[in-house]
């Protein structure tokens, strides 16, 4: 039973942590993940947001502080450390620890490294931005076909090409393959 619990927690987290009622770190466990994120600096007795080199989006921190003040559980609070050209981003989730009288003892939680996921998301966003600029600058239109479902997705700019002079050219559109065939042959 204990082994099963350990195996399940390893699936959902890279490392574990606890804080006291003042949100200072009292315990962390995670080996290499902790070393990659914090290096040689000590985190014990400090709040996440007080650690040097740890970057936290101000808006996210404000929302996080509100959740902590109202003793709410939280999910996916992200912290980032830039190490040269590489950013290490970890997502923390936690829940309050209360005594029998309802007094806050601190928080306990899990964290996972989401660096590769965030790097891929940022790369995808940059690629989309470049594609949008190329389409806009080249006076191009985009479309793709889903043959299994029998539909065609038409991006902005297709109205005039389909002979629809009054079509709102800023909206996307989906047609069946039969509809597209009729429009093209007319």
């Amino acid at each position: 039973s204990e082994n099963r619990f350990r195996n399940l927690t390893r699936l959902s987290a890279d490392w574990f942590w606890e804080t006291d009622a003042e949100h200072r770190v009292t315990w962390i466990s995670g080996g290499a993940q902790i070393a990659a994120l914090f290096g040689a600096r000590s985190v014990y007795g400090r709040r996440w947001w007080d650690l040097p080199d740890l970057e936290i989006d101000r808006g996210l921190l404000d929302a996080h502080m509100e959740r902590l003040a109202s003793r709410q559980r939280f999910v996916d609070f992200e912290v980032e450390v830039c190490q040269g050209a590489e950013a290490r981003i970890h997502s923390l989730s936690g829940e309050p620890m209360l005594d029998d009288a309802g007094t806050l003892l601190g928080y306990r939680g899990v964290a996972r490294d989401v660096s590769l996921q965030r790097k891929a998301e940022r790369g995808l966003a940059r690629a989309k931005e470049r594609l949008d600029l190329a389409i806009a600058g080249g006076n191009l239109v985009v479309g793709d076909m889903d043959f299994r479902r029998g539909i065609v997705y038409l991006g902005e700019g297709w109205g005039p090409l389909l002979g629809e002079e009054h079509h709102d050219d800023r909206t996307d559109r989906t047609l069946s393959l039969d509809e597209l065939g009729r429009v093209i042959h007319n």
Side-chain angles (χ1 to χ4, degrees):
S1 176
E2 185 176 326
N3 228 5
R4 183 182 300 150
F5 176 74
R6 282 191 183 136
N7 288 334
L8 286 173
T9 55
R10 271 186 256 142
L11 291 173
S12 65
D14 293 327
W15 52 282
F16 307 91
W17 56 268
E18 283 185 8
T19 62
D20 63 16
E22 301 299 317
H23 311 296
R24 294 178 300 240
V25 176
T26 58
W27 176 77
I28 52 176
S29 173
Q33 295 292 339
I34 298 297
L37 182 62
F38 300 117
R41 64 184 168 272
S42 176
V43 297
Y44 289 102
R46 302 179 94 167
R47 295 172 183 91
W48 301 121
W49 51 91
D50 291 335
L51 292 168
D53 303 325
L54 200 65
E55 296 178 22
I56 303 170
D57 177 88
R58 187 69 205 173
L60 294 177
L61 180 58
D62 290 343
H64 180 68
M65 298 298 283
E66 287 179 25
R67 279 191 292 280
L68 294 179
S70 61
R71 299 182 188 179
Q72 295 177 4
R73 70 186 308 263
F74 62 89
V75 178
D76 294 332
F77 173 63
E78 290 189 2
V79 297
E80 180 174 351
V81 172
C82 290
Q83 300 166 335
E86 280 294 309
R88 303 301 316 165
I89 303 167
H90 287 248
S91 174
L92 285 71
S93 298
E95 59 182 37
M97 297 183 296
L98 306 172
D99 67 11
D100 292 338
T103 304
L104 179 68
L105 302 175
Y107 273 79
R108 175 181 294 141
V110 297
R112 57 191 171 84
D113 186 341
V114 295
S115 303
L116 292 176
Q117 179 182 347
R118 294 298 175 263
K119 183 177 180 179
E121 289 169 353
R122 290 173 183 166
L124 184 59
R126 283 191 304 273
K128 182 188 180 316
E129 183 179 330
R130 286 192 307 272
L131 177 61
D132 289 345
L133 286 171
I135 290 169
N139 199 23
L140 303 172
V141 294
V142 175
D144 64 76
M145 294 184 188
D146 182 339
F147 288 104
R148 279 185 278 166
R149 292 179 35 209
I151 60 171
V152 178
Y153 162 80
L154 303 176
E156 296 177 12
W158 276 93
L161 294 173
L162 296 175
E164 300 175 358
E165 295 175 25
H166 302 294
H167 176 71
D168 182 359
D169 216 25
R170 294 166 297 171
T171 59
D172 298 339
R173 168 150 193 217
T174 303
L175 300 173
S176 71
L177 290 175
D178 290 336
E179 289 173 312
L180 180 63
R182 281 192 297 277
V183 170
I184 290 173
H185 289 294
N186 289 338

